[in-house]
Amino acid sequence: MAKKLQKAEICVDRDIAISEVDKRIYSSFIEHLGRAVYEGIYQPGSKFADKDGLRKDTIKLIKEIGVPVVRYPGGNFVSGFHWEDSVGPVAKRPHRIDPAWNVIETNEFGLHEFMNWTRKADTQPMMAVNLGTRGIEDAKNLIEYCNVKSGSYYSDMRIKNGAKDPFGIKLWCLGNEMDGPWQMGHKTAQEYGRTAAEAGRIMKFVDPDIECVACGSSNMHMPTFASWEATVLQESYDTTDYLSLHTYYGNQDNNTPDFLASSVDMDHFISAVVSVCDYVKAVKKSNKTINLSFDEWNVWYHSNEEDKKLKKWVQHPHQLEDIYNFEDALLVGSMLITLLRHADRVKIACLAQLVNVIAPIMTSDTGAWRQTIFYPYMQACQFGRGIVLNTVVKGPAYESKHGDAPYIDSVVIDDPESGSLTIFAVNKNLEDAYEVSCDLRQYEGYKVAEHILLTNDDLKAVNTEAHPDQVAPVNYNGTTLEKGLMTSVLPAKSWNVIRLTK
Ligand code: AHR
């Protein structure tokens, strides 16, 4: 088929904004699962470890991204977690089974080690409490341990364990995926809503400055979706600040156009949850708006078959180690654009996860490297700061299993403070390039600073330890700006970061 240069137009008005970006939209997640913690961020004895056993090479890559917040310690793991097991002298910490992932948790790395790691990685914690096998008493004790200065049983225990100052953790997840039958301590929406309300209430008695995230649905296709959200919020509206969303996509059918259209599904999911939040707001005649925490999102499917072969009750096996290819990076770029387009309501989002487990960063005993998805995530985090403009893309769409999907997916972010304008764009057309125009006459004096391009002839190309740069961004001479009209050529199947500065 002859390759054509297709046309599209991006329309923005600098006075028509969606919202300022909350930088926590670029957060991530470390679960006690597989080699995320052990061998990922913590490996005493490794030539990459510092004196605390923390891997310096992964910290360096995490700082390269600039991850603002890291959710911890789960995930499914948290629903059976006894946090007390993970503090105090390491030699006395019990080894426990983790029935969520059928492994043994040694507790060698625990709460204090995580807090020490967050400081070194220049990030902030988002801590989850166990509302599965435990409940509000445990949530109260944990926040006392973390956030009360001194003079009480658990705060003094923290001090005895070496942390004189409180951890001051501000962001708390009230359990994890409690709607899922796979979850330890799975609950009905009514049961969970009551528990979340009381956990949040007692936690805010202890520290009124915290923010609480209640569990929404594990994905939009759960049988209880929407009624779960409505019931949970009916019960916990006053103490909840954010409602969580989770979703993972895969290309099991090897249908790339359908796979790349998954961001349309994500978009519908966000809009639907916003509607439910606002429905409950109206029912309650409340002035308070519940915002969203999309605290698990990614591509996850490559490792599913391999993981079925795992033996039970071993320590930190290779688990959920998806090796991401180029098309995965395109979808991750598109999912980031989707989150940004909902920046008025999505205030927190966590790419799940960060190291080794469905992650942008991989490690071995001999090094650490960037997976394909590292790049759109890092670039969005670095350049996607400022005010999201209402971005309308005029151009063709294709039919997909998720509905009509525009070939060009884009969002424009204006940062008046630094005098920069950033355009993220994915071209999902696998054959044709697009010439995209954008009227930027309102941005007088701006110049094209760079156009960074991620593309590859092979949709299935991957980065490995031996070949870490098979898929890597390049500087591209694809954008011009003349008399206020920007014209960009977006190659077929590409992720683009176009930056203009004053
Ligand atoms: O991120 C992997 C798992 O996916 C998490 O533990 C769980 O919350 C979700 O189902």
Side-chain angles (χ1 to χ4, degrees):
M1 199 178 20
K3 297 191 178 176
K4 285 191 277 183
L5 187 62
Q6 306 275 5
K7 295 214 181 213
E9 188 185 354
I10 296 175
C11 306
V12 286
D13 183 319
R14 77 185 303 177
D15 294 321
I16 305 184
I18 291 178
S19 171
E20 188 167 355
V21 180
D22 187 323
K23 68 173 182 188
R24 299 175 300 171
I25 208 169
Y26 305 119
S27 302
S28 190
F29 176 29
I30 293 271
E31 179 167 2
H32 278 260
L33 161 57
R35 299 187 309 125
V37 170
Y38 305 105
E39 298 181 22
I41 61 171
Y42 176 76
Q43 194 171 13
S46 152
K47 62 179 175 186
F48 301 107
D50 67 8
K51 65 171 185 27
D52 298 329
L54 302 172
R55 276 191 74 143
K56 290 182 282 186
D57 53 350
T58 44
I59 286 180
K60 187 163 169 271
L61 289 173
I62 289 162
K63 283 184 170 175
E64 189 177 315
I65 299 168
V67 181
V69 171
V70 176
R71 182 169 176 252
Y72 176 85
N76 297 338
F77 169 78
V78 79
S79 294
F81 182 46
H82 284 200
W83 64 268
E84 304 92 322
D85 293 345
S86 83
V87 300
V90 172
K92 289 198 177 151
R93 296 184 194 170
H95 291 198
R96 301 261 192 210
I97 56 161
D98 166 19
W101 297 107
N102 293 329
V103 293
I104 299 286
E105 171 55 54
T106 64
N107 286 302
E108 195 181 330
F109 184 96
L111 187 51
H112 289 249
E113 290 78 18
F114 177 67
M115 291 308 298
N116 184 28
W117 177 83
T118 58
R119 282 187 285 268
K120 291 189 182 183
D122 273 348
T123 190
Q124 293 292 322
M126 178 186 195
M127 189 75 195
V129 296
N130 173 358
L131 294 187
T133 60
R134 293 183 129 189
I136 62 172
E137 167 76 7
D138 177 54
K140 172 180 75 66
N141 296 344
L142 179 55
I143 195 157
E144 177 187 329
Y145 188 92
C146 292
N147 287 12
V148 170
K149 197 161 180 275
S150 63
S152 68
Y153 181 80
Y154 285 110
S155 60
D156 287 344
M157 184 191 283
R158 182 200 68 242
I159 294 169
K160 192 165 144 247
N161 288 336
K164 184 169 158 295
D165 295 325
F167 294 142
I169 300 175
K170 291 296 167 221
L171 206 47
W172 291 83
C173 299
L174 305 175
N176 177 70
E177 294 188 350
M178 300 307 305
D179 63 322
W182 58 85
Q183 201 67 217
M184 291 179 277
H186 162 58
K187 293 180 175 39
T188 65
Q190 185 75 30
E191 289 164 348
Y192 171 69
R194 286 294 305 132
T195 307
E198 292 309 316
R201 206 154 68 90
I202 203 163
M203 289 168 77
K204 286 182 174 182
F205 287 163
V206 179
D207 183 348
D209 294 335
I210 63 165
E211 292 189 306
C212 292
V213 182
C215 295
S217 295
S218 303
N219 62 68
M220 193 175 47
H221 307 287
M222 295 297 290
T224 50
F225 173 61
S227 67
W228 170 276
E229 277 76 359
T231 307
V232 167
L233 285 182
Q234 285 279 2
E235 296 297 339
S236 68
Y237 205 86
D238 292 345
T239 49
T240 294
D241 300 288
Y242 305 93
L243 192 64
S244 81
L245 297 82
H246 291 180
T247 209
Y248 296 97
Y249 296 107
N251 190 7
Q252 289 88 347
D253 303 332
N254 197 19
N255 181 331
T256 302
D258 267 354
F259 173 63
L260 294 181
S262 304
S263 55
V264 173
D265 187 74
M266 186 189 205
D267 181 72
H268 293 160
F269 186 17
I270 295 171
S271 299
V273 176
V274 166
S275 301
V276 180
C277 291
D278 292 349
Y279 159 76
V280 182
K281 178 180 181 177
V283 170
K284 288 190 172 279
K285 299 170 184 63
S286 173
N287 289 327
K288 175 180 169 185
T289 298
I290 301 286
N291 284 320
L292 311 190
S293 172
F294 212 127
D295 44 44
E296 287 189 33
W297 67 270
N298 203 347
V299 173
W300 172 15
Y301 77 105
H302 297 283
S303 57
N304 293 351
E305 289 309 309
E306 205 49 37
D307 286 352
K308 287 182 191 154
K309 300 179 202 154
L310 285 172
K311 295 227 162 19
K312 270 185 147 185
W313 315 133
V314 293
Q315 293 177 16
H316 47 85
H318 289 248
Q319 206 167 7
L320 276 67
E321 296 207 0
D322 274 39
I323 304 302
Y324 289 115
N325 58 31
F326 169 59
E327 68 182 13
D328 298 329
L330 291 180
L331 179 60
V332 163
S334 205
M335 291 171 88
L336 285 158
I337 289 172
T338 307
L339 291 168
L340 284 164
R341 292 173 71 96
H342 286 279
D344 54 334
R345 301 301 289 270
V346 179
K347 300 296 174 186
I348 303 163
C350 304
L351 175 72
Q353 298 192 10
L354 190 52
V355 185
N356 288 333
V357 170
I358 45 174
I361 298 169
M362 296 298 291
T363 68
S364 73
D365 288 346
T366 48
W369 63 99
R370 302 166 186 82
Q371 294 232 57
T372 62
I373 63 168
F374 181 96
Y375 295 106
Y377 176 45
M378 181 263 281
Q379 290 158 348
C381 188
Q382 279 185 4
F383 303 126
R385 303 294 172 104
I387 295 162
V388 181
L389 299 183
N390 189 5
T391 309
V392 175
V393 181
K394 290 188 195 161
Y398 63 95
E399 273 178 35
S400 80
K401 70 174 184 188
H402 302 296
D404 282 354
Y407 281 110
I408 302 296
D409 198 4
S410 183
V411 70
V412 181
I413 298 149
D414 181 8
D415 188 0
E417 246 172 60
S418 68
S420 67
L421 195 69
T422 300
I423 298 157
F424 296 120
V426 174
N427 178 0
K428 298 184 182 177
N429 193 313
L430 304 181
E431 299 294 331
D432 298 338
Y434 268 76
E435 185 184 86
V436 173
S437 60
C438 183
D439 182 344
L440 294 176
R441 279 175 297 173
Q442 290 174 320
Y443 292 90
E444 214 185 317
Y446 280 62
K447 292 196 169 47
V448 178
E450 58 183 340
H451 180 158
I452 308 169
L453 174 70
L454 189 71
T455 190
N456 203 288
D457 289 340
D458 181 4
L459 287 165
K460 309 295 178 189
V462 298
N463 291 341
T464 59
E465 186 171 21
H467 301 284
D469 299 319
Q470 300 270 94
V471 180
V474 292
N475 285 318
Y476 171 62
N477 199 6
T479 300
T480 57
L481 183 66
E482 267 173 41
K483 294 191 181 137
L485 183 71
M486 187 195 85
T487 310
S488 261
V489 176
L490 313 183
K493 41 177 159 50
S494 63
W495 157 257
N496 302 265
V497 183
I498 302 160
R499 298 188 56 240
L500 290 91
T501 49
K502 236 182 183 164

